[in-house]
Each structure stands twice: as structure tokens, then as C-alpha cells.
Amino acid sequence: MTELATRAQAFGLIAAGVATGLSAPWCLYLARGSRYLSLSVGDRAEWHAWRTHLGCPELRVRVYDTGGELRRSSVAEVVLDGCRIRVELVEQVGTADLDQLLVVDPTPVEPEER
């Protein structure tokens, strides 16, 4: 795909990823004018797969408090033909996982069995 000038082309980019075996994003937002496309995925494996597929070189991690719960937002972005494409993963992080917040690519901590 050489340009993302239309909504159909932007959705075609996502359809092409799904056709190669990637999981469909659970949320997709395409701004008016097709210059901003945002994908929300469900887990870290999907996030890695989509950012690799799209060739996202820019990575950003943000940790924030939502009323007593910590969340980690991992964002990968790329600009293709003037269209900014963003892949985002939001994970809930427990206080036992605080040491992982400083790691760019944490491995999930399995909960202890009771």
C-alpha cells in the first residue's frame, strides 16, 4: 500500500494485517480525513505483532493512576504517507509489578496460586 488517502485504504491496511494472521484490534478509530488511525489491542503479543507489521519505530510508555489502580499504556506510532498510525495497549498493573514498569518489554508475572 503506497498511500492512505481514503478511509477504504486505511481500513484495507488493517484488513491486510488480519489476513496475514494478526488478531483484529478490539477498538479501531479512524479520524475524519483519514490522517489518524488508532488501534487498541488486547494483550502484549498482539501489540508486538501489530507494531512489527506496521513498522512502528516510535515507542512510548506511560504509567498513570486511575483512582487506586495503576495502568500502563504502551504506544507505538508510525507515519505512513501523512497518516499517523497508533497501536495502543493498556494494561492494569499491580503494586507487586512495580519493578516491571521500568522495563520496556516486561514479561507478565503469573499470580500466585492460593
Side-chain angles (χ1 to χ4, degrees):
M1 178 171 298
T2 58
E3 68 177 64
L4 296 173
T6 67
R7 296 176 82 74
Q9 289 171 325
F11 281 116
L13 178 66
I14 303 309
V18 173
T20 65
L22 298 176
S23 297
W26 65 268
C27 183
L28 179 67
Y29 173 77
L30 178 62
R32 173 177 256 164
S34 305
R35 291 291 156 227
Y36 176 74
L37 176 64
S38 177
L39 314 170
S40 295
V41 295
D43 64 35
R44 187 150 298 277
E46 291 176 17
W47 185 74
H48 280 302
W50 274 105
R51 73 181 188 90
T52 300
H53 175 73
L54 295 170
C56 297
E58 296 183 33
L59 304 175
R60 215 172 43 244
V61 175
R62 182 175 68 116
V63 177
Y64 55 96
D65 182 5
T66 59
E69 294 179 352
L70 292 176
R71 291 197 179 154
R72 172 187 166 117
S73 172
S74 301
V75 176
E77 289 186 337
V78 66
V79 176
L80 296 176
D81 296 320
C83 180
R84 185 166 52 111
I85 301 173
R86 170 185 169 132
V87 181
E88 182 176 18
L89 170 65
V90 177
E91 302 167 291
Q92 195 167 335
V93 181
T95 55
D97 303 327
L98 289 179
D99 59 331
Q100 290 189 354
L101 296 177
L102 301 175
V103 179
V104 172
D105 183 19
T107 55
V109 175
E110 298 295 324
E112 295 180 22
E113 291 188 30
R114 296 178 186 217

